[in-house]
Amino acid sequence: MIVVDSITKSFSGNVVLDNFSSKFEPGRINLIIGRSGSGKTMTIKCMLGLHQVDCGSIYFDNRNFISLSERDRKKIRKEIGMVFQGSALFDSMTVSENVMFPLTMSSKMTKDKMIERVNFCLNRVDLKNVNDLYPSELSGGMQKRVAIARAIALNPKYLFCDEPNSGLDPATAKVIDNLLKEITYEYKITTVINTHDMNSVVDIGDRIIYIEEGRKKWEGDKKTFLETDDKELHYFKSFSKLFTK
Amino acid sequence: MYFLTAIGQYIIFLKKIFSRLEGSKILFPKILDEINDLGMSSIGFVSFISIFVGAVVTLQVAYNMENPLLPTYLIGLASRDSLILEFSPTMISLVLAGKIGSHIASSIGTMRVTEQIDALEVMGINSASFLVFPKICATIFINPFLIILSIALGLVGGWLAGNITGICPTEEYLLGIKYEFIPFNMAYAIIKTIIFAFIITTVCAFFGYNIKGGALEVGQASTKGVVYTSIFIIICNYFITHLLLN
Ligand SMILES: Nc1ncnc2c1ncn2[C@@H]1O[C@H](COP(=O)(O)OP(=O)(O)OP(=O)(O)O)[C@@H](O)[C@H]1O
Ligand SMILES: [Mg+2]
């Protein structure tokens, strides 16, 4: 379980994340939704220590990430998988080298075991015969899937995805959503996903956190989300056909 | 003020490069890759420049020694000394700052703006040391060879120019380049090269690593990297010369 306790982040006086607290439970998909620029990416990056927070704490199963040394953080980081908004594949490496990279860096597997694991992960995201291609030779959706394969290579306990299906056609988006759902339930991963896609909310969200201008405005499970007529959410929901009768 | 902040950040960056290094099993292959990427690919370019610079140096020395009382072999001697002391180590390092320095700044900068550096950090890897340390090792190792090659080819270029124009026949030239050779001059050239290699890699990497923004900033960072590297090299050149040749 990840517990975020009132974190605040500002850039030269401009507050982009304001006193954000929440809990993320294992085996569930936690969605962070909000409009573009509302601070979804910032929330995830602060949780991962990519941006230093001004104040607050973040606990990964009772280990306070903020107060740990870099060496101890590394232990937690080995348990984390992250899919970036722009995939962030290493463009000097082939697909299989990308997926193998976390294995070479922080596991003691033999070469054969690694290759086996790489093929397993690529299979899991429905990619075949692309092992020797470079990221620039793949389509956006394929890159996203390679990024997911890389993120799950080390069997993470915590999985973060920043807009995993933005810029994808609805069919591919659905494939990716289903994939994330399956692996979350299968391996009891604590999954945190940023999205502004209402289809994803309906399809895979177990818990939903709505943020606006860096502040948490609403939080609850999917059923409540669909039924509520909370006025904070109303504005956001009003843009989706799914909610306008 | 901006300058002092930048110097401070540069020192912190250096500290980050040399802390929490990965094991040799990971670093060694990366160093070999970088030697290939940064060093081997510069051989042709460096050779081409060196031959012509050597030829020009010889012609200029000859042009300045029209006095018939001066022996012809002095042309070879003067060319040799200018090549070893200044032209090869400093000029080729400046040229390499343009070639490999801009490559380093833009490749690391691209990794920054496409979040590849964040991806490394999330995996618990010290991105600064992982990316820059192998490059430092590679350039410190390979640049001295490039400079020695450059000196050798510069001398060949000088010999060709002297021969073709007939201002310095082969025997005189050979006598000149062997005359009162001071081995320490070679050491001086190599020490300079190693220091310059360190500057090229770290300063350019620093500008690439600290990019904020997008593709436009990648271009700006590589320009800035090359400019500051050149300035640093010229200033250090003065102090190293002062220290070693006095
Ligand atoms: N490095 C930075 N320096 C200063 N401000 C930043 C930085 N990164 C993000 N911001 C600001 O933080 C706010 C939140 O940005 P963030 O990237 O988290 O948005 P987002 O919700 O992920 O949007 P999108 O859906 O478009 O990806 C924005 O107003 C942005 O301008
Ligand atoms: Mg975002």
Side-chain angles (χ1 to χ4, degrees):
Chain A
M1 183 158 78
I2 310 173
V3 178
V4 179
D5 185 14
S6 39
I7 54 171
T8 295
K9 172 75 191 167
S10 57
F11 287 98
S12 44
N14 176 25
V15 180
V16 293
L17 200 57
D18 192 2
N19 209 6
F20 179 88
S21 307
S22 196
K23 274 188 191 142
F24 303 90
E25 279 165 22
R28 303 183 77 187
I29 293 194
N30 302 274
L31 292 181
I32 301 180
I33 61 170
R35 299 173 63 189
S36 181
S38 55
K40 303 183 293 292
T41 302
M42 196 51 69
T43 311
I44 284 199
K45 286 196 171 174
C46 286
M47 287 171 72
L48 294 172
L50 292 173
H51 288 297
Q52 223 172 342
V53 293
D54 303 340
C55 59
S57 1
I58 296 148
Y59 298 91
F60 285 83
D61 290 311
N62 298 322
R63 295 164 293 180
N64 187 353
F65 194 66
I66 307 277
S67 62
L68 292 177
S69 69
E70 271 304 324
R71 253 174 228 288
D72 294 326
R73 282 185 179 194
K74 189 168 178 169
K75 287 196 202 101
I76 298 184
R77 286 198 156 133
K78 280 187 198 170
E79 301 169 355
I80 295 176
M82 165 85 187
V83 179
F84 285 85
Q85 196 161 355
S87 299
L89 298 175
F90 302 119
D91 41 32
S92 57
M93 300 181 192
T94 62
V95 166
S96 56
E97 284 166 350
N98 261 287
V99 181
M100 202 185 285
F101 185 78
L103 302 174
T104 13
M105 293 308 286
S106 38
S107 80
K108 293 194 171 61
M109 286 184 192
T110 59
K111 189 89 187 169
D112 291 339
K113 276 262 173 333
M114 283 191 217
I115 293 170
E116 204 176 290
R117 178 77 191 153
V118 167
N119 289 332
F120 173 82
C121 292
L122 286 173
N123 247 328
R124 200 73 192 71
V125 295
D126 255 330
L127 281 174
K128 285 179 193 83
N129 304 325
V130 295
N131 291 35
D132 297 325
L133 297 182
Y134 283 90
S136 58
E137 296 168 318
L138 302 179
S139 74
M142 291 160 97
Q143 290 182 6
K144 276 271 158 64
R145 282 186 274 168
V146 177
I148 295 174
R150 184 177 70 180
I152 61 173
L154 277 174
N155 257 328
K157 269 171 84 174
Y158 319 99
L159 180 63
F160 292 81
C161 302
D162 197 355
E163 316 226 356
N165 50 23
S166 68
L168 301 181
D169 66 275
T172 315
K174 181 118 189 154
V175 169
I176 291 198
D177 276 350
N178 286 340
L179 169 71
L180 291 171
K181 190 164 152 181
E182 279 169 35
I183 56 179
T184 301
Y185 296 157
E186 195 176 327
Y187 302 110
K188 289 257 171 300
I189 304 175
T190 308
T191 305
V192 182
I193 300 176
N194 278 352
T195 185
H196 46 226
D197 180 2
M198 274 300 165
N199 293 319
S200 299
V201 177
V202 177
D203 284 349
I204 61 169
D206 291 319
R207 234 174 101 262
I208 290 133
I209 298 165
Y210 174 64
I211 56 173
E212 204 178 283
E213 291 178 2
R215 258 178 297 249
K216 186 174 82 182
K217 291 281 175 161
W218 192 89
E219 178 172 19
D221 59 20
K222 179 163 68 185
K223 194 157 167 286
T224 335
F225 178 84
L226 297 176
E227 286 164 2
T228 182
D229 27 81
D230 191 289
K231 74 173 190 310
E232 303 280 11
L233 278 178
H234 181 74
Y235 177 73
F236 191 75
K237 278 165 62 174
S238 67
F239 286 102
S240 172
K241 282 211 184 74
L242 291 167
F243 297 101
T244 38
K245 293 167 195 131
Chain B
M1 198 53 212
Y2 167 77
F3 184 70
L4 286 181
T5 320
I7 295 274
Q9 283 171 339
Y10 174 67
I11 291 168
I12 294 170
F13 179 64
L14 288 185
K15 207 177 133 216
K16 195 169 173 206
I17 293 175
F18 292 100
S19 58
R20 291 199 300 127
L21 291 171
E22 299 293 333
S24 57
K25 229 172 80 193
I26 284 164
L27 285 181
F28 192 66
K30 266 198 75 109
I31 294 174
L32 292 184
D33 272 354
E34 298 290 357
I35 289 177
N36 189 29
D37 204 28
L38 301 172
M40 295 306 170
S41 63
S42 306
I43 289 179
F45 186 52
V46 166
S47 310
F48 175 78
I49 293 177
S50 304
I51 291 178
F52 279 87
V53 167
V56 170
V57 168
T58 302
L59 294 182
Q60 285 178 348
V61 170
Y63 172 75
N64 283 311
M65 295 212 309
E66 282 184 338
N67 189 332
L69 289 179
L70 293 175
T72 322
Y73 72 80
L74 279 185
I75 295 176
L77 184 144
S79 307
R80 175 199 75 199
D81 282 349
S82 15
L83 281 171
I84 294 179
L85 293 176
E86 198 58 30
F87 280 98
S88 288
T90 311
M91 198 173 134
I92 297 296
S93 289
L94 286 172
V95 166
L96 288 176
K99 185 174 179 291
I100 63 180
S102 63
H103 173 68
I104 290 173
S106 59
S107 62
I108 293 184
T110 307
M111 291 188 75
R112 166 63 77 195
V113 301
T114 55
E115 296 180 314
Q116 292 174 50
I117 290 186
D118 285 342
L120 286 172
E121 292 285 336
V122 169
M123 294 176 198
I125 296 161
N126 176 355
S127 55
S129 86
F130 180 75
L131 294 173
V132 187
F133 185 77
K135 293 195 202 304
I136 296 178
C137 296
T139 50
I140 283 184
F141 174 76
I142 198 76
N143 282 18
F145 287 101
L146 288 174
I147 297 308
I148 292 170
L149 176 75
S150 157
I151 293 172
L153 289 175
L155 291 175
V156 171
W159 167 71
L160 282 173
N163 238 339
I164 291 167
T165 56
I167 49 177
C168 185
T170 306
E171 306 86 72
E172 297 277 327
Y173 188 79
L174 285 180
L175 175 64
I177 63 174
K178 286 187 281 192
Y179 193 77
E180 285 197 349
F181 174 68
I182 308 168
F184 179 72
N185 286 356
M186 277 308 285
Y188 162 79
I190 287 170
I191 292 171
K192 274 211 313 198
T193 307
I194 289 176
I195 295 175
F196 295 163
F198 184 81
I199 294 175
I200 294 171
T201 327
T202 54
V203 173
C204 290
F206 171 73
F207 279 100
Y209 193 82
N210 288 302
I211 282 182
K212 292 194 174 68
L216 185 66
E217 282 78 8
V218 174
Q220 286 171 349
S222 85
T223 313
K224 260 196 202 163
V226 173
V227 170
Y228 281 95
T229 304
S230 310
I231 294 173
F232 257 148
I233 286 182
I234 299 290
I235 295 174
C236 285
N237 188 28
Y238 172 79
F239 287 107
I240 298 168
T241 309
H242 190 75
L243 274 175
L244 294 183
L245 293 191
N246 263 1

